[in-house]
Amino acid sequence: MAEQMSVEMVEVSARSAEPLRPAGVLQQNRVFLDFFWDLAAPDQEVRLKAVENLIQYLKAENKADELAYTFKRLVDGLAHTREAARPGFSLALGHVLSAFEDVSLQSILDRIKEKHNLQAVKKKLARNAMFGNLFGVLALHQSGRLVKEPQVVLGCVQLLQSLSQHKQHLKDLPSKTMTDILSQIPEEVFEEVLFSALQADLASAFRTPEQLQLLLVALQRFPQALKPKKLKKLLGSSTIINAENIPKLVEVLKMAAHSVKKELVLPPVALDLLKLSLKEDSFQLFWNKAITEAMFKEPSGPTHYLSFRLLGSALPLLSLSQLKEVLSGEVMMHYGEHVVLAQKPDRFKLAPEMDGFVSDFLQACRDADKQLVVMVSFTSLTNHGYPVVPSVWRVVQHLEPAALQSYVDWLKKMFLQPQTDLLLDFSTRNQKDKQEGKEQKESTIFRLRKWIVPRLASIIDNHMVKKSEDLCMDVARFVFFHTFFSTKKATADIAETSGKLSIPLDDKTRGVLVNSFFGPLMSMHHMPLSDDSAAVNQRRSLGVTADGTMWIHHLVQYAQLLLSRPKHVQSLQPFSAEQKQAWDGMLESVENLRKKTKKGGTAESAAFQQLFMLVGMHMFKAPDELLDIMKDLQRCVDKAQEKKAKKKKKTKQQQAAEQQEEEPEWVEVLVDILLSLLSQQNRHIRQVCRTVFSSICPHVTAAALTAILDVLDPDKEDEEDSAVVVTDDGDKMQKNLKDDDDDDDDEEEEEEEQEEDMESDESDKDSDEEEAMEEEEEDEGMEGGEVDQNFRMELMKVLQQQNALATEEDADSDEDLDDEAMMKLDKSLSALFSEQKKKVQAKKDEKTKLQKERVLLREFKIKVLDLVEVFVARQAGSPLILGLVEPLLNIIDRGMSSGSEQQEQEFLRRAADIFRNHLCRSRVYCKTTGDRQGELHDLLEKLMSKAQKLSDSSVCLYYFSASLYVVKVLRGALPAVTKEEPTADGAAAAVNDPTFMGNVDVDRVSTLFREALISFMSRRKSPLTCQMFTDLFNRFPVLCVNLLETAVQHITAGVRDHQQGQACVLVLRAMQNKDVQQLLSAEQRTQLCEKVSKQLASSLGQVGPAQTKVTKEKLVKIMELCQFLVKHVRYQKLSVDLEPLEKALESLTSSIPFKKTGQLEDTYWAVMKHFGVTKPKVVKTKPDKDGEQEAAPKKKKGFLPETKKRKKRNKPVLEPAAGQPAPASKPGEQRGQAAKKQDKKAKQKRPAHGAAASPSSPAKKSKTQPDSKAGKKKKKKPKQKKGGEQA
């Protein structure tokens, strides 16, 4: 109290020093008081900063009164109504106590108890007081000084024990705080001070999870204080985990599981029990009785999830034998069933949490044996042979190299000799009912192998896995061997022949192997060198081993080894003599390219090697299809090498002569090969084709480029045969289409496939019902759609043949067909409808096939765009690039009107991006037109003509951009004197010589753009825009000067106000252009300003009083042009008569007031300021209240509003007299214009009724007279009278 009084005295003295509160004291205390405001801020960073600043301030000032005030404010703030403020004040109190150790903790504890006494506080503030006590204890605990004052520890624990009764507000926070305190104090303090206080809680440990947690923490911290003898006195047994206590522990675990149902975490008491069981050597008892047997008796829910989380958390704590026992028990079986059932939507999935547990364990554990046990155990957990973990399980990246090698060996062994008895296999109820022994065994083996193959492949795909080159090659050889070969006789040279298949591979497994082999092949193509094999200063290489050899080359050599051992190895699809010759030729070509690479390595030779070997590896999959491609590829490479050798020996003149006589056909053939390879659904082939084409871009001819563009041409889509082969296998097509997606999509596909496999039994359950529903829908579709006339005629014939068709003669007949006739009719109708159903199904199949072809064709065209993009990027300066302009524009034009499917939009987006960003805006372009000037001018004329005929402005923008690109090409390279400054769109503008136009026919080109400008100004709906011509003016000032007069004319000659406003914008942009000003002489600039002034004056004279939105926009643009014109004339001191323009501007005020604020008004007065006219100031006058009060009664006569009538209706003094007549009419009950007029007349005649007229004048004077109540009462009488008479 003394400290509190001292603080109050300081505050009083500060206030009473001066009556006006001096600023110095305020400024001095404001910094100190702001700390407490920041402690209650919602932002955590602000609160932490406030705590730090407060402690620094108190240490620097070292004032006792401020320190006492600080403790008072902090203790008061512990029960703050704002939840975010309580932790702030608690943290601050703890840190202040830690900083000022001379302050007694007991005094602070007493102040907390006194301030937040639950017995004295009001009921509505009881909850805040509870939190005040709790956060106060937390502050004392955070101070770190509880160890030094044992009595304070006892007081805190007793206070927390009293708070633990209020669980509806504080939940388990008091118990957790007691646990934290126990973990901090020494054993002597616990034994001497706390044990007696906590004895009741420790004795009732099996009642609640919090009390059991308290006991477990005490056992961990103070084993000497809680010896078995004391435990026996407390609990009746010397150990916690025994057969007698198991039921009690189970009940506590169930309570703990339900308490964290929303938090989705493992209760700490469960993990502590597990640790205690390991310490007491009772782990098997605890795990088998409490977890396996008891917890899973409950339905699936929190108890199951607690067991699964405990399993994951126990992995780092168990020994090798315990891991094997736990991971092969019933808990794992239940976890597998949960994973299967949780695949359905809207189900809780615990698998991500288990993945986290396993990942953390593998990261922390360096024991390869334990890692292997965990990986093998989770892989062995299978549902009908299919493991529940995904085949792309990313935890494998944390395995040690030894564990990874052992895991791969185990996978290979299970693939060759599946041992289903070693699997922890389970089946759902439907699977158990449907599947029989033999069929189930075969299906189980197939499903297991189906999972193992992508599991092996994903180890190569994941670059985060720490694997050696030998391991990668071992996996690739294993998958390749069993995909395309089989063993005749074991040999030591081929390790894969030593592994015998206990059950032969079926066709389905072979298909999985084929699809899984080429994925790792692509991953190896992008695989970086391992850290230990890469040199320090060496550039990072991809797709090669440590010795610089390509991964695919190692596989090709392995394939050659297998082909050369026919006695030991048999090919599943043997090569013919011609195919073997092509294979040998490929090896020879690769070897020749490798030799040239060693002499002087080029990217071109490496790309050709990659293409050769990739096609060679694909020959094992489809030899007949790739045989011709391989032959053509070899011829192309041979011709290319001969061409290069001849070029080195011949002069430039001879080379030019040969180019005119004969084109290098090998490039055209190679482009055809690349196009045919792109039609295959393989991402690796797509990337290799892109690399190869990039290397041959300098040799590409016009014919080769035309072959690429023909594929993309929408007009030739139906004329030529598609290069895409459409198969009837829908699943295969869908899978192939997904091969081009990113690696992340593979995991999603794997999860989807796993879900389908695991839930196949449930899908089979309803298959019959679904088929029946589909048949019904088909029948309804046949009935609801158009009736086939041929089918109608056939149906009529059948009915007529059986005399079943009703006629007029038989209308009154009651005779029916006999049974035999009915049977014949049923058979005939059945045959007819069956045939019709087949026809309908055939039409649907044809439609589906066409749709598949369309999808595959669009995918193929998107891939071909890769080649176009590469060519534009590598050969932007080639004259051949001009041949891409029209085809790309045609694609964009047709794509804008095509469907809205995702593929169509992606194709259109890529084509537009290549045209706009890579072609038109490229800094590198063809600067030597040669003899193609006339052709380019014709192309420009064609583009501009087409642009004006379009209806879509977005397509027109691409045509106009192409026109500017053609003009840029015609202009050619700028003179050496000039400097190039890249503009926003990548164009280069000549700085020193804006008149340079190169080979551009300025008159012809100006005529073309002038016609386009006239079309834009004279058409109501033109695809051209003002921005297009603005770009033209900025990039080519010479053309701007030639078009400037046309733009000036259309300031008044535009077809509409919008076009006239756009003309003003164009003229303004042209006059602001520095290059245009440089091109115009002084006389030309004067004449231009004269013309613009006259046009503006004429346009302003046409403005009428009626203003629309378009007219206002036009006026704004006119004002902007006027402002620049007047400013320019005055600054340049040109002899231009601006008087007509000034008069036109002054006369504009007669139709437009210009009194408000806005863009138009501000611009107008900015223009008039140049003429010496300023905006008049508006004088604001206050309204006269007395005048309004006197005039108010004259404005309106009659009754008060209806709301006021209803308020005073029930007063006794306002009841009407019985003999008074009612008014002629009542407003609100009449309808129509005539009724309103009649109502007004009735109001005017109302004073003739005597009593009804008398209250009107007092009611109007009631605002100024004191007796307003009497006036109001008198005024209500006629209304009540009227209402009473109507009633």
Side-chain angles (χ1 to χ4, degrees):
M1 292 298 294
E3 295 176 354
Q4 187 175 2
M5 290 177 64
S6 64
V7 173
E8 291 176 355
M9 290 296 294
V10 171
E11 292 180 350
V12 170
S13 63
R15 294 194 194 101
S16 61
E18 285 186 15
L20 296 178
R21 295 190 303 176
V25 177
L26 278 178
Q27 291 297 328
Q28 181 181 359
N29 293 333
R30 174 55 55 193
V31 178
F32 174 61
L33 295 176
D34 283 344
F35 296 145
F36 302 102
W37 284 98
D38 293 340
L39 288 176
D43 189 2
Q44 184 179 2
E45 297 295 332
V46 177
R47 297 199 300 268
L48 294 177
K49 190 67 176 177
V51 172
E52 182 181 355
N53 294 337
L54 176 62
I55 295 175
Q56 292 178 357
Y57 178 86
L58 291 175
K59 288 183 176 180
E61 297 295 330
N62 197 17
K63 294 182 180 180
D65 55 348
E66 289 184 345
L67 183 61
Y69 179 76
T70 299
F71 284 118
K72 176 182 179 301
R73 285 290 301 270
L74 293 180
V75 170
D76 292 348
L78 295 173
H80 204 287
T81 55
R82 191 185 304 168
E83 294 183 0
R86 299 169 193 157
F89 283 99
S90 176
L91 182 65
L93 180 58
H95 281 73
V96 171
L97 289 173
S98 179
F100 298 91
E101 295 188 0
D102 54 339
V103 179
S104 172
L105 294 184
Q106 186 65 46
S107 63
I108 302 300
L109 179 61
D110 295 339
R111 181 177 292 186
I112 292 172
K113 291 180 179 180
E114 180 183 356
K115 179 64 180 177
H116 307 297
N117 188 359
L118 296 178
Q119 305 299 328
V121 76
K122 295 182 180 179
K123 187 176 181 180
K124 62 172 65 176
L125 300 177
R127 185 174 183 271
N128 294 336
M130 296 174 194
F131 279 104
N133 287 307
L134 176 65
F135 280 102
V137 175
L138 285 174
L140 297 176
H141 172 59
Q142 289 174 350
S143 68
R145 296 169 49 193
L146 283 178
V147 183
K148 302 177 182 179
E149 301 186 27
Q151 295 302 322
V152 179
V153 177
L154 179 61
C156 290
V157 170
Q158 291 175 348
L159 181 58
L160 291 173
Q161 286 177 332
S162 64
L163 292 176
S164 60
Q165 302 174 3
H166 307 282
K167 287 188 176 182
Q168 69 274 18
H169 298 297
L170 302 179
K171 296 183 180 180
D172 57 346
L173 292 178
S175 301
K176 289 182 178 180
T177 307
M178 278 193 285
T179 304
D180 294 339
I181 292 176
L182 286 183
S183 62
Q184 193 180 42
I185 62 175
E187 190 169 359
E188 296 79 8
V189 175
F190 173 78
E191 193 170 1
E192 296 175 1
V193 179
L194 287 185
F195 182 74
S196 58
L198 294 175
Q199 190 170 1
D201 290 332
L202 297 176
S204 58
F206 296 123
R207 291 184 181 179
T208 62
E210 293 79 14
Q211 292 173 327
L212 180 59
Q213 177 71 13
L214 189 66
L215 174 62
L216 295 177
V217 172
L219 283 173
Q220 292 177 1
R221 289 280 299 155
F222 320 115
Q224 299 299 325
L226 294 174
K227 292 183 178 180
K229 292 182 179 179
K230 285 189 177 181
L231 280 180
K232 193 167 185 179
K233 292 181 180 180
L234 287 173
L235 304 175
S237 59
S238 59
T239 58
I240 303 295
I241 300 176
N242 51 52
E244 297 179 359
N245 292 338
I246 288 294
K248 302 176 183 178
L249 294 176
V250 170
E251 294 300 324
V252 172
L253 287 176
K254 289 180 181 179
M255 294 169 59
H258 288 281
S259 66
V260 295
K261 184 177 180 180
K262 295 182 179 180
E263 289 79 5
L264 303 178
V265 294
L266 176 67
V269 64
L271 187 59
D272 288 342
L273 277 175
L274 178 69
K275 294 178 180 178
L276 183 63
S277 67
L278 293 171
K279 184 179 179 180
E280 294 182 352
D281 198 17
S282 57
F283 172 73
Q284 290 185 346
L285 174 66
F286 171 73
W287 189 261
N288 294 332
K289 297 296 182 180
I291 303 299
T292 305
E293 294 182 7
M295 298 298 284
F296 287 98
K297 288 182 179 179
E298 297 287 321
S300 178
T303 56
H304 290 209
Y305 302 149
L306 180 144
S307 303
F308 300 150
R309 293 189 178 104
L310 187 61
L311 170 66
S313 302
L315 296 178
L317 307 174
L318 303 180
S319 63
L320 186 63
S321 59
Q322 290 171 340
L323 279 174
K324 292 180 180 179
E325 180 183 358
V326 169
L327 295 178
S328 60
E330 292 293 327
V331 178
M332 284 288 285
M333 296 278 284
H334 288 292
Y335 172 70
E337 293 179 2
H338 161 75
V339 174
V340 172
L341 298 176
Q343 295 296 336
K344 295 181 179 180
D346 302 330
R347 293 283 184 92
F348 171 69
K349 298 176 178 59
L350 195 130
E353 294 184 42
M354 186 62 73
D355 293 347
F357 287 130
V358 176
S359 180
D360 295 340
F361 165 74
L362 295 178
Q363 279 184 287
C365 178
R366 298 293 91 189
D367 189 350
D369 295 334
K370 287 187 177 182
Q371 287 185 341
L372 180 62
V373 167
V374 171
M375 290 299 300
V376 170
S377 299
F378 275 93
T379 305
S380 302
L381 181 60
T382 58
N383 169 236
H384 192 37
Y386 199 91
V388 298
V389 294
S391 63
V392 289
W393 206 21
R394 297 190 183 277
V395 299
V396 73
Q397 67 192 30
H398 303 302
L399 291 178
E400 291 292 316
L404 180 62
Q405 182 66 54
S406 302
Y407 182 56
V408 170
D409 294 339
W410 183 85
L411 290 173
K412 290 162 60 178
K413 183 179 179 182
M414 290 298 291
F415 180 85
L416 296 173
Q417 299 174 354
Q419 299 177 357
T420 55
D421 55 332
L422 299 180
L423 299 176
L424 195 63
D425 193 74
F426 63 92
S427 301
T428 59
R429 295 179 181 177
N430 292 333
Q431 288 175 342
K432 291 178 182 178
D433 296 339
K434 290 185 178 181
Q435 303 297 335
E436 297 180 359
K438 185 176 180 181
E439 294 182 359
Q440 182 177 357
K441 186 176 181 181
E442 292 177 356
S443 177
T444 300
I445 294 173
F446 165 70
R447 286 162 64 87
L448 179 62
R449 285 174 169 172
K450 179 183 176 182
W451 185 91
I452 290 177
V453 174
R455 169 74 276 185
L456 289 171
S458 66
I459 293 176
I460 299 180
D461 293 339
N462 191 350
H463 291 175
M464 299 297 294
V465 177
K466 295 174 289 187
K467 52 187 179 293
S468 62
E469 293 183 356
D470 295 337
L471 179 64
C472 294
M473 199 62 211
D474 184 32
V475 172
R477 289 172 55 163
F478 179 83
V479 177
F480 177 76
F481 179 84
H482 291 287
T483 302
F484 302 111
F485 293 90
S486 60
T487 304
K488 282 185 178 180
K489 184 180 179 181
T491 176
D493 297 341
I494 305 173
E496 285 71 25
T497 58
S498 60
K500 295 183 180 180
L501 290 167
S502 60
I503 299 176
L505 301 178
D506 54 2
D507 294 337
K508 290 183 179 180
T509 309
R510 297 280 185 190
V512 174
L513 284 166
V514 171
N515 293 328
S516 300
F517 170 70
F518 292 101
L521 190 62
M522 178 188 170
S523 299
M524 296 167 78
H525 176 61
H526 295 283
M527 186 182 297
L529 286 172
S530 57
D531 296 336
D532 55 349
S533 63
V536 178
N537 298 325
Q538 185 180 359
R539 183 182 176 184
R540 192 177 187 187
S541 301
L542 300 178
V544 296
T545 57
D547 58 356
T549 307
M550 295 183 185
W551 283 102
I552 192 172
H553 186 260
H554 287 291
L555 288 175
V556 168
Q557 289 180 334
Y558 177 67
Q560 175 62 19
L561 175 64
L562 296 179
L563 292 174
S564 63
R565 300 294 180 88
K567 294 182 180 180
H568 301 87
V569 177
Q570 179 181 0
S571 177
L572 298 177
Q573 195 171 0
F575 285 165
S576 63
E578 191 176 8
Q579 293 167 355
K580 185 65 171 63
Q581 183 180 0
W583 172 266
D584 295 336
M586 181 270 296
L587 295 177
E588 183 179 356
S589 300
V590 170
E591 192 61 30
N592 294 334
L593 290 171
R594 281 173 55 82
K595 291 178 181 178
K596 293 181 179 180
T597 304
K598 291 179 181 179
K599 296 179 181 179
T602 60
E604 180 181 352
S605 61
F608 274 111
Q609 288 182 54
Q610 186 77 16
L611 182 60
F612 260 124
M613 292 186 285
L614 186 59
V615 174
M617 297 304 290
H618 275 269
M619 282 186 66
F620 289 96
K621 180 180 179 181
D624 297 332
E625 298 176 7
L626 297 175
L627 176 61
D628 295 335
I629 293 178
M630 180 65 78
K631 291 181 179 179
D632 294 338
L633 184 60
Q634 290 174 358
R635 285 196 294 268
C636 291
V637 175
D638 294 340
K639 287 184 179 181
Q641 299 300 329
E642 292 175 4
K643 195 79 177 177
K644 287 184 178 180
K646 291 179 181 179
K647 282 184 178 181
K648 293 180 180 179
K649 298 179 181 179
K650 295 181 180 180
T651 62
K652 293 183 178 180
Q653 295 179 356
Q654 292 175 343
Q655 292 177 15
E658 282 196 2
Q659 286 180 0
Q660 292 179 359
E661 294 174 1
E662 183 182 0
E663 293 291 339
E665 298 178 356
W666 66 271
V667 177
E668 301 168 17
V669 178
L670 185 57
V671 168
D672 290 337
I673 292 173
L674 296 179
L675 291 175
S676 61
L677 289 175
L678 285 175
S679 64
Q680 299 190 19
Q681 300 296 326
N682 189 289
R683 194 161 32 138
H684 191 189
I685 289 180
R686 179 179 181 180
Q687 294 184 353
V688 172
C689 289
R690 184 186 178 100
T691 305
V692 172
F693 185 77
S694 176
S695 64
I696 66 169
C697 273
H699 309 288
V700 171
T701 61
L705 191 59
T706 303
I708 297 175
L709 296 175
D710 288 343
V711 176
L712 300 173
D713 191 356
D715 298 330
K716 297 183 180 180
E717 187 171 324
D718 300 329
E719 298 176 6
E720 299 180 358
D721 295 334
S722 175
V724 183
V725 179
V726 182
T727 60
D728 293 334
D729 189 359
D731 298 335
K732 184 177 180 181
M733 189 209 72
Q734 293 295 334
K735 186 173 182 59
N736 288 339
L737 286 179
K738 293 180 182 179
D739 288 342
D740 290 338
D741 294 340
D742 297 329
D743 293 336
D744 295 339
D745 297 339
D746 296 340
E747 184 175 357
E748 297 178 1
E749 293 175 8
E750 169 62 29
E751 292 177 357
E752 293 175 0
E753 185 178 359
Q754 179 180 353
E755 178 182 347
E756 293 174 0
D757 290 333
M758 291 181 177
E759 295 301 323
S760 59
D761 56 325
E762 297 188 5
S763 61
D764 293 340
K765 181 179 178 180
D766 300 330
S767 59
D768 297 336
E769 298 179 2
E770 292 178 357
E771 291 178 0
M773 293 290 291
E774 290 178 359
E775 291 179 359
E776 291 179 3
E777 291 176 358
E778 290 179 0
D779 296 340
E780 291 175 1
M782 291 173 58
E783 293 175 1
E786 293 186 2
V787 180
D788 188 358
Q789 295 298 328
N790 295 329
F791 175 65
R792 180 193 290 272
M793 296 299 297
E794 293 293 334
L795 182 60
M796 295 286 289
K797 289 181 182 179
V798 171
L799 294 176
Q800 288 177 357
Q801 289 175 1
Q802 302 297 330
N803 295 326
L805 188 64
T807 60
E808 294 180 359
E809 297 177 358
D810 300 333
D812 299 333
S813 177
D814 294 336
E815 296 181 0
D816 295 332
L817 296 176
D818 54 6
D819 294 341
E820 184 177 356
M822 287 295 293
M823 291 295 292
K824 290 182 180 180
L825 179 61
D826 288 344
K827 290 181 180 180
S828 302
L829 291 176
S830 176
L832 179 61
F833 278 98
S834 177
E835 183 179 357
Q836 179 65 15
K837 187 176 181 180
K838 290 180 180 179
K839 291 180 181 179
V840 173
Q841 186 63 36
K843 290 181 179 180
K844 289 184 178 180
D845 294 342
E846 183 67 21
K847 185 178 179 181
T848 304
K849 183 180 179 181
L850 292 176
Q851 186 177 2
K852 291 178 181 179
E853 288 181 356
R854 196 179 303 111
V855 170
L856 289 173
L857 184 59
R858 189 60 62 201
E859 285 283 342
F860 173 59
K861 288 190 174 185
I862 291 175
K863 296 176 188 176
V864 175
L865 278 179
D866 290 347
L867 305 184
V868 177
E869 184 178 3
V870 170
F871 186 77
V872 172
R874 296 294 300 272
Q875 297 294 114
S878 173
L880 294 177
I881 208 76
L882 299 173
L884 297 175
V885 174
E886 286 189 282
L888 288 176
L889 286 174
N890 191 21
I891 293 173
I892 295 171
D893 190 7
R894 291 286 294 272
M896 288 292 188
S897 58
S898 61
S900 59
E901 293 85 358
Q902 184 177 0
Q903 277 188 327
E904 295 285 347
Q905 296 300 318
E906 175 66 16
F907 178 65
L908 174 62
R909 186 194 62 79
R910 286 209 58 196
D913 178 71
I914 292 171
F915 178 79
R916 190 79 185 276
N917 299 324
H918 295 79
L919 180 62
C920 294
R921 295 183 176 180
S922 176
R923 295 186 180 184
V924 182
Y925 58 93
C926 179
K927 300 178 182 180
T928 56
T929 56
D931 56 348
R932 301 182 61 182
Q933 301 173 14
E935 179 184 348
L936 290 177
H937 281 91
D938 294 339
L939 175 61
L940 178 62
E941 185 175 356
K942 183 178 180 182
L943 292 175
M944 290 304 302
S945 176
K946 176 72 174 176
Q948 298 175 47
K949 296 177 181 178
L950 293 171
S951 57
D952 192 350
S953 181
S954 58
V955 180
C956 181
L957 176 61
Y958 289 100
Y959 275 88
F960 202 88
S961 300
S963 303
L964 298 182
Y965 174 75
V966 173
V967 175
K968 181 174 70 172
V969 172
L970 281 170
R971 184 183 62 181
L974 297 172
V977 183
T978 63
K979 298 180 181 179
E980 293 186 2
E981 292 183 356
T983 58
D985 58 351
V991 178
N992 297 331
D993 189 10
T995 60
F996 176 78
M997 290 299 290
N999 297 322
V1000 179
D1001 187 350
V1002 178
D1003 294 336
R1004 181 178 178 183
V1005 173
S1006 299
T1007 303
L1008 292 175
F1009 284 106
R1010 186 180 294 109
E1011 292 176 355
L1013 181 58
I1014 294 174
S1015 174
F1016 171 56
M1017 293 296 175
S1018 59
R1019 289 176 57 184
R1020 289 180 174 271
K1021 293 183 179 180
S1022 175
L1024 301 170
T1025 62
C1026 181
Q1027 185 61 39
M1028 298 178 187
F1029 291 98
T1030 303
D1031 294 341
L1032 172 66
F1033 289 180
N1034 292 333
R1035 296 173 64 177
F1036 305 105
V1038 175
L1039 300 179
C1040 174
V1041 172
N1042 295 340
L1043 299 180
L1044 194 52
E1045 185 177 355
T1046 304
V1048 172
Q1049 292 176 359
H1050 284 87
I1051 293 178
T1052 55
V1055 66
R1056 289 188 303 175
D1057 290 341
H1058 174 71
Q1059 279 77 6
Q1060 294 175 12
Q1062 297 300 319
C1064 294
V1065 173
L1066 290 177
V1067 174
L1068 177 60
R1069 298 292 180 266
M1071 295 180 69
Q1072 289 174 342
N1073 195 323
K1074 295 181 180 180
D1075 293 333
V1076 174
Q1077 295 177 8
Q1078 184 179 352
L1079 290 172
L1080 293 175
S1081 62
E1083 183 180 356
Q1084 289 176 334
R1085 288 199 297 270
T1086 303
Q1087 293 178 358
L1088 176 63
C1089 292
E1090 285 280 0
K1091 293 179 181 178
V1092 173
S1093 177
K1094 292 179 180 179
Q1095 290 289 336
L1096 291 176
S1098 176
S1099 180
L1100 290 173
Q1102 298 174 2
V1103 178
Q1107 297 295 323
T1108 62
K1109 182 179 179 180
V1110 178
T1111 307
K1112 289 183 179 179
E1113 291 177 357
K1114 169 192 166 183
L1115 281 175
V1116 170
K1117 293 176 174 60
I1118 290 176
M1119 294 302 167
E1120 291 175 353
L1121 180 56
C1122 288
Q1123 185 179 7
F1124 177 81
L1125 176 66
V1126 176
K1127 191 176 180 180
H1128 181 71
V1129 170
R1130 298 288 172 84
Y1131 181 77
Q1132 297 290 339
K1133 298 179 180 179
L1134 302 177
S1135 57
V1136 179
D1137 185 13
L1138 297 177
E1139 186 177 354
L1141 179 60
E1142 182 181 0
K1143 292 181 179 179
L1145 289 169
E1146 291 176 351
S1147 62
L1148 200 62
T1149 56
S1150 60
S1151 56
I1152 302 176
F1154 293 114
K1155 292 182 179 180
K1156 299 180 180 179
T1157 59
Q1159 185 180 8
L1160 176 60
E1161 290 77 7
D1162 296 342
T1163 311
Y1164 173 79
W1165 291 113
V1167 175
M1168 296 303 296
K1169 188 176 181 180
H1170 292 287
F1171 294 107
V1173 180
T1174 58
K1175 183 178 180 180
K1177 295 183 179 180
V1178 179
V1179 180
K1180 296 182 179 180
T1181 57
K1182 295 183 179 180
D1184 189 2
K1185 295 183 178 180
D1186 297 335
E1188 287 183 359
Q1189 289 178 355
E1190 293 177 359
K1194 300 180 181 178
K1195 288 183 179 179
K1196 186 177 180 181
K1197 296 180 181 180
F1199 298 117
L1200 291 172
E1202 294 290 334
T1203 54
K1204 292 187 178 180
K1205 294 179 185 178
R1206 288 195 293 270
K1207 288 179 182 177
K1208 304 296 182 179
R1209 181 178 297 168
N1210 297 326
K1211 287 190 176 182
V1213 296
L1214 298 179
E1215 291 181 0
Q1220 291 180 345
S1225 62
K1226 180 181 180 181
E1229 293 182 356
Q1230 302 293 337
R1231 296 292 183 268
Q1233 191 68 23
K1236 291 181 180 179
K1237 293 181 179 179
Q1238 185 179 358
D1239 186 43
K1240 290 181 181 179
K1241 294 179 180 179
K1243 289 179 181 180
Q1244 293 175 358
K1245 294 180 180 180
R1246 196 175 315 253
H1249 292 285
S1254 59
S1256 60
S1257 55
K1260 293 175 185 177
K1261 295 179 182 180
S1262 62
K1263 293 184 180 179
T1264 55
Q1265 293 179 357
D1267 55 345
S1268 57
K1269 293 183 179 180
K1272 289 182 180 179
K1273 291 180 181 179
K1274 292 180 179 179
K1275 186 177 179 180
K1276 290 292 180 179
K1277 285 183 179 180
K1279 291 193 289 185
Q1280 293 294 336
K1281 177 181 64 176
K1282 178 181 66 176
E1285 291 175 355
Q1286 287 177 350

